[in-house]
Amino acid sequence: MKLINGYDLMNYAKKKGYILPAFNTTNMEMTYAIAKGLDDAKLPGYIQISSNNLRLSNPKVIADLARDAASRYDTPIGLHLDHGKSYADVQACVEAGFTSIMVDASHLPFEENVAEVAKAVQFCHFYGIPVEAELGALQGKEEDIVNEADAKTDPGMVEEFVRATGCDLLAVSVGNVHGLDLEPHVDLDLLKTIADISPVPLVLHGGSGIPFDVIQKARKCGLLKINYGSDLRKAFIRTFGEAYEANHNAHDVISLSMKAVENVSAKAKELVEVINA
Ligand code: G3H
Ligand code: ZN
C-alpha cells in the first residue's frame, strides 16, 4: 500500500478504537522492521523520524524507504515527522511525501510556541497534512538530546493553544518521560482532564517504559497516538552488541542487520498488539 494520509489514519483508528503507535526510525533497517512489525500484527501505525535523526539521512531518503517498506504490505502505515524543529524541516518533509507532521516548539514561551505551530499548520493544511504540536515539556533523553525541565501541560492553556494554532493532535506532558533513564509516572487524572477539554486527540511521547495497563487506561482517556523510540533502538543495538560479545571478530553485517530487522519488527509487533489488546 502507499503511505496513508495522516487524517485518514487518525479517522481509521478512531473508527476502529485503535491507539496508534508511532515508532521512531533512524535508518533503513529500522524502517523496514517497523513496517513488517505493524503488518505482522495487522494493526496500523506510523513510521516516524525526528529532525534530530534526519542528520544521518534526509527526508527524501527516509520517505523513499518508508514508501518501499509500506508498499510490501496492506496494513495502513503513515510517515510522521517527529519533534520537527524548524519550518524548513517541515517543508522538506512535506515535499518528500511525509503524511503527518509534528512541529515541536514546546521549549518556547506560549505565544512563540503558538506562532511557530500556526505557521507550520497553515503550510501543512494547504497540502492536506495534519499537524501535531506539544504543550508542556517532557523530562528525559530523546536520543542525544537531554531535557531537564518537567513542565506538565496546563489544562487551562489547552483550548486556547489548539484554537490559536489549528493543530490536529496535541502531545502532552502528564508525567511521561523520554528515554529509559527516568521512571514515568503518568497522571491519568490529568490526562483525562486535558482530554475532556482538548478539541483534538492526545499524544503521549515517551512510550518506552510506560506500563501497558496504564496505556490501556490512557486509551480510554482520549489518547490516539503513542510514541516509541528507545524500546526499538535497544532491540536494534542489542542485536549487534550480543554478537560482538559472543565474538569480537563478528563482521557479518548483512546477517546481523537482517537479525536486527527481525528483532525490531518483533518488538514493534509486540507493542502494537499489547496496547491495542
Ligand atoms: O518522540 C519520540 C518518543 O517520544 C520516544 O520516547 O524513547 O521514551 O519511547 P521513548
Ligand atoms: Zn518524543
Side-chain angles (χ1 to χ4, degrees):
M1 288 281 279
K2 68 185 178 72
L3 290 169
I4 187 172
N5 171 272
Y7 283 117
D8 296 336
L9 182 57
M10 289 161 63
N11 292 333
Y12 177 70
K14 279 187 254 182
K15 195 168 80 178
K16 294 276 190 178
Y18 291 145
I19 181 169
L20 294 167
F23 294 124
N24 284 87
T25 187
T26 297
N27 55 25
M28 175 184 72
E29 292 84 352
M30 292 186 78
T31 301
Y32 282 108
I34 292 164
K36 182 175 186 301
L38 289 169
D39 189 65
D40 286 347
K42 295 291 179 259
L43 285 165
Y46 300 84
I47 294 167
Q48 67 176 13
I49 188 163
S50 66
S51 281
N52 188 42
N53 273 246
L54 282 169
R55 292 177 294 166
L56 182 65
S57 57
N58 63 62
K60 185 177 179 323
V61 164
I62 295 298
D64 288 345
L65 286 169
R67 266 190 291 269
D68 184 57
S71 69
R72 301 176 178 194
Y73 310 113
D74 292 337
T75 303
I77 298 172
L79 177 61
H80 180 77
L81 170 62
D82 182 34
H83 292 290
K85 67 180 180 190
S86 69
Y87 187 62
D89 280 358
V90 168
Q91 288 178 300
C93 288
V94 168
E95 180 70 31
F98 280 55
T99 62
S100 179
I101 292 284
M102 177 187 189
V103 51
D104 184 0
S106 57
H107 56 289
L108 297 175
F110 182 82
E111 295 306 333
E112 290 170 57
N113 187 356
V114 166
E116 287 286 305
V117 173
K119 183 180 171 191
V121 164
Q122 191 174 21
F123 176 79
C124 293
H125 283 186
F126 183 77
Y127 289 94
I129 291 170
V131 177
E132 174 186 331
E134 183 166 326
L135 188 61
L138 267 66
Q139 259 185 323
K141 198 167 184 295
E142 169 58 20
E143 273 283 281
D144 48 358
I145 299 175
V146 177
N147 177 33
E148 301 296 334
D150 170 35
K152 296 245 183 346
T153 302
D154 175 354
M157 301 172 88
V158 166
E159 203 161 3
E160 183 192 349
F161 181 77
V162 172
R163 185 191 47 71
T165 60
C167 69
D168 304 284
L169 281 165
L170 182 66
V172 294
S173 176
V174 293
N176 43 323
V177 294
H178 274 129
L180 296 170
D181 300 337
L182 298 173
E183 199 67 36
H185 296 289
V186 174
D187 180 341
L188 287 167
D189 292 336
L190 177 56
L191 183 70
K192 181 79 174 66
T193 302
I194 295 169
D196 290 344
I197 295 168
S198 175
V200 297
L202 304 184
V203 181
L204 263 192
H205 283 232
S208 302
I210 298 179
F212 293 135
D213 64 306
V214 171
I215 295 164
Q216 284 158 355
K217 288 182 193 134
R219 190 172 144 205
K220 298 184 176 67
C221 298
L223 188 68
L224 184 64
K225 172 174 178 277
I226 181 163
N227 288 7
Y228 284 102
S230 303
D231 277 348
L232 276 73
R233 293 171 178 142
K234 198 171 147 186
F236 181 82
I237 291 170
R238 272 186 59 181
T239 307
F240 294 88
E242 285 169 355
Y244 180 75
E245 283 308 306
N247 171 8
H248 284 199
N249 287 330
H251 60 279
D252 182 352
V253 173
I254 180 64
S255 302
L256 284 174
S257 298
M258 293 178 80
K259 180 81 183 118
V261 170
E262 276 310 310
N263 290 342
V264 172
S265 67
K267 175 54 75 176
K269 176 176 185 287
E270 175 205 343
L271 289 170
V272 68
E273 285 177 337
V274 74
I275 63 175
N276 281 292

